[in-house]
Amino acid sequence: MRSSPQQKLSKSAIKAWRVSTAIVCLVFILIPLFFWVYNTFSPSNTNFSIWLIGSISAVLFIISGLIIFFLPEIRWQHWYYQVDEHEIDLQSGIFVITRTLIPVKRVQHVDTRQGPILRSYGLADVTISTAATTHRIPALDEKTADQVRDRISKFARLAKEDV
């Protein structure tokens, strides 16, 4: 049986994922605020109950807090990768564990990507493109992401020279 990949993502990924999750949760928390504004300024008599809006707000606030503080940590604990001269091994998932093996000779190109949140934490994603799809190793330190990208590129070049 094949051993699991051993490389972990950067510990800073947890902070970056918390920020991005908080932004998404903020959108959901604003929905009850929209209903409260509608309730306050609507001329019609079909208003929403303030207790219903308050209850929905409280539930969304609690769920958002749990998602923001616990999910990124759990996600980080379950993400592994490994790169060698023959394949790239990715393993992720909390309830459903996905294990992906990408043969290096199938790699067409490899990129590093940074959004504003990842850049503020000094992180980058590595995207690996094959003919069929694109795979991603998320939230590596910038230096590590560059090294992984260069290593995959070198292995892919060597694998194609052997063919």
Side-chain angles (χ1 to χ4, degrees):
M1 179 154 175
R2 179 187 291 262
S3 63
S4 295
Q6 300 298 314
Q7 301 291 318
K8 294 286 297 171
L9 305 178
S10 171
K11 190 81 172 169
S12 297
I14 297 169
K15 296 175 192 169
W17 288 342
R18 280 186 179 143
V19 170
S20 62
T21 304
I23 291 170
V24 171
C25 288
L26 182 64
V27 172
F28 288 108
I29 289 174
L30 290 178
I31 291 172
L33 179 65
F34 169 78
F35 284 111
W36 179 78
V37 169
Y38 176 80
N39 216 18
T40 304
F41 297 107
S42 172
S44 69
N45 292 332
T46 58
N47 292 336
F48 300 99
S49 165
I50 195 70
W51 291 105
L52 178 65
I53 294 171
S55 299
I56 291 172
S57 298
V59 168
L60 287 175
F61 192 77
I62 291 169
I63 291 171
S64 296
L66 293 173
I67 289 172
I68 290 168
F69 289 107
F70 294 115
L71 192 61
E73 175 89 24
I74 294 169
R75 184 177 169 201
W76 180 83
Q77 290 174 351
H78 291 86
W79 229 113
Y80 297 94
Y81 72 97
Q82 187 92 35
V83 176
D84 66 27
E85 61 193 39
H86 301 293
E87 59 196 12
I88 302 154
D89 191 356
L90 309 175
Q91 181 176 325
S92 65
I94 298 169
F95 298 111
V96 177
I97 297 172
T98 302
R99 182 114 184 243
T100 305
L101 297 173
I102 307 164
V104 168
K105 62 183 174 186
R106 301 282 183 191
V107 172
Q108 291 188 334
H109 68 274
V110 59
D111 303 318
T112 53
R113 295 179 51 190
Q114 283 183 305
I117 296 171
L118 289 179
R119 190 173 30 245
S120 68
Y121 287 97
L123 301 172
D125 293 343
V126 176
T127 57
I128 305 150
S129 299
T130 62
T133 187
T134 300
H135 304 277
R136 185 172 66 107
I137 304 172
L140 298 174
D141 289 327
E142 288 178 24
K143 185 177 175 183
T144 305
D146 290 341
Q147 291 171 346
V148 167
R149 180 197 61 213
D150 294 344
R151 220 163 115 204
I152 292 170
S153 175
K154 178 184 168 190
F155 290 150
R157 198 173 335 109
L158 292 173
K160 289 178 180 161
E161 288 175 1
D162 287 343
V163 175

